[in-house]
Amino acid sequence: MVPWWSFTKTVLAAASLSLVRDGIVRLDDVVLEGPFTLRQLLRHEAGLADYGELVEYHAAVARGDAPWQADEMLQRLDATRLRYAPGMGWQYSNVGYLYVARLIERATGLALEEALMQQALAPLGLLRVRSAKTPADLEGVCMGAISTYDPRWVYHGLLVGSLSDAALFLDRLMAGHLLPDLLVQEMQAARALGGPLPGRPWKSPAYGLGLMQGVLHTGPTLCGHTGAGPGSVVAVYRRANGSNTATCAVFHAGSDEGLAEEEVVKRLSASLKSGD
């Protein structure tokens, strides 16, 4: 069992899109926390800041302080002040996914853990994945280079599970086992984010609905998500080569996201080359 870090965002996106599938919410309706839509939240286009930019946040985590309440975090961040008009820019925002999590809870009437299991995990056959809500929930979880952590510092929720379950989730999701083809295509309709990233394998990175997408320097396109937290990195990606596909999840005990992504690229290339 490992922390899925921001791969949790892909599960949140899938769960929210299952509600779109069922006609319970709409992608382009303004959400309660507005004036932005679910689509803009999922693509990090809502104009929201990110608590990762707060120096005091990282200092508090490093000291082992008790996590702030969500409302205190939002106040410290001045989260109600949009940094740009929704849809007119891009900025990675964990706050946006906190609002996605709240939307899922409102729409289902369930606590987030139960809602994610009902709407996304169980339908794809993944019954061992669970939410970590207290430090005790991380007992027995491989955390990499740290020994203790309070998952309440991850305000949109932190899933933990095996690497194989992470790969299976992404593979089955992209294969259309949860959502209709139209919504799978919507997930992959990505906003281009500029040129190459130093130390990363992406020639042209992009972001869809809860999915990182990148064209490699060698040509192929991968979709999935990288997640990083204190002590470790996970990278979960899928690659298609004609009708052949492969999905891989990598865990790295450290902070080098590029290293984990390069390992995914290497393993996917070898798998598709061998025809596995």
Side-chain angles (χ1 to χ4, degrees):
M1 300 287 280
V2 301
W4 282 11
W5 298 125
S6 277
F7 185 62
T8 300
K9 290 183 174 70
T10 303
V11 183
L12 287 164
S16 64
L17 289 171
S18 76
L19 299 173
V20 174
R21 175 202 65 199
D22 297 339
I24 298 172
V25 299
R26 295 183 181 180
L27 261 176
D28 296 310
D29 282 356
V30 173
V31 302
L32 181 63
E33 293 82 3
F36 31 75
T37 66
L38 174 59
R39 185 193 302 275
Q40 290 165 341
L41 289 174
L42 294 175
R43 282 180 50 158
H44 298 293
E45 295 177 329
L48 293 164
D50 179 39
Y51 55 78
E53 67 193 52
L54 294 174
V55 174
E56 59 265 36
Y57 170 84
H58 296 284
V61 173
R63 287 193 302 266
D65 291 357
W68 309 323
Q69 294 295 316
D71 287 345
E72 180 184 352
M73 176 275 293
L74 295 172
Q75 184 178 26
R76 286 172 178 259
L77 186 60
D78 189 18
T80 58
R81 179 176 63 83
L82 297 184
R83 276 40 174 188
Y84 54 86
M88 301 304 293
W90 190 91
Q91 181 178 348
Y92 193 87
S93 175
N94 287 293
V95 171
Y97 274 78
L98 165 62
Y99 294 160
V100 172
R102 288 178 172 179
L103 180 151
I104 292 169
E105 289 183 319
R106 286 196 302 270
T108 61
L110 299 171
L112 185 63
E113 181 175 22
E114 297 171 28
L116 294 183
M117 182 59 70
Q118 173 183 284
Q119 297 299 130
L121 295 167
L124 294 178
L126 303 174
L127 302 179
R128 298 174 298 174
V129 181
R130 57 183 174 82
S131 293
K133 299 184 287 293
T134 70
D137 293 331
L138 295 176
E139 292 180 9
V141 175
C142 179
M143 297 299 293
I146 62 169
S147 56
T148 61
Y149 181 71
D150 194 321
R152 291 174 295 175
W153 283 116
V154 184
Y155 287 92
H156 56 64
L158 175 62
L159 293 176
V160 297
S162 68
L163 288 176
S164 59
D165 277 349
L168 283 171
F169 180 85
L170 181 63
D171 194 68
R172 292 170 180 173
L173 176 65
M174 292 294 96
H177 295 181
L178 179 70
L179 303 172
D181 289 346
L182 180 61
L183 285 177
V184 175
Q185 292 168 15
E186 290 275 19
M187 287 194 80
Q188 297 177 85
R191 182 188 184 103
L193 302 178
L197 297 174
R200 311 281 285 272
W202 317 118
K203 177 183 178 182
S204 302
Y207 203 96
L209 303 184
L211 283 177
M212 292 179 174
Q213 189 165 289
V215 178
L216 301 173
H217 291 283
T218 52
T221 299
L222 271 60
C223 71
H225 216 290
T226 302
S232 63
V233 174
V234 292
V236 190
Y237 286 89
R238 187 174 191 261
R239 176 182 164 187
N241 184 6
S243 60
N244 296 321
T245 63
T247 308
C248 178
V250 165
F251 177 80
H252 168 58
S255 59
D256 192 334
E257 296 174 67
L259 189 151
E261 292 167 347
E262 291 285 4
E263 184 66 20
V264 165
V265 169
K266 181 176 74 173
R267 289 173 178 262
L268 290 176
S269 297
S271 179
L272 289 174
K273 189 176 296 183
S274 67
D276 292 343

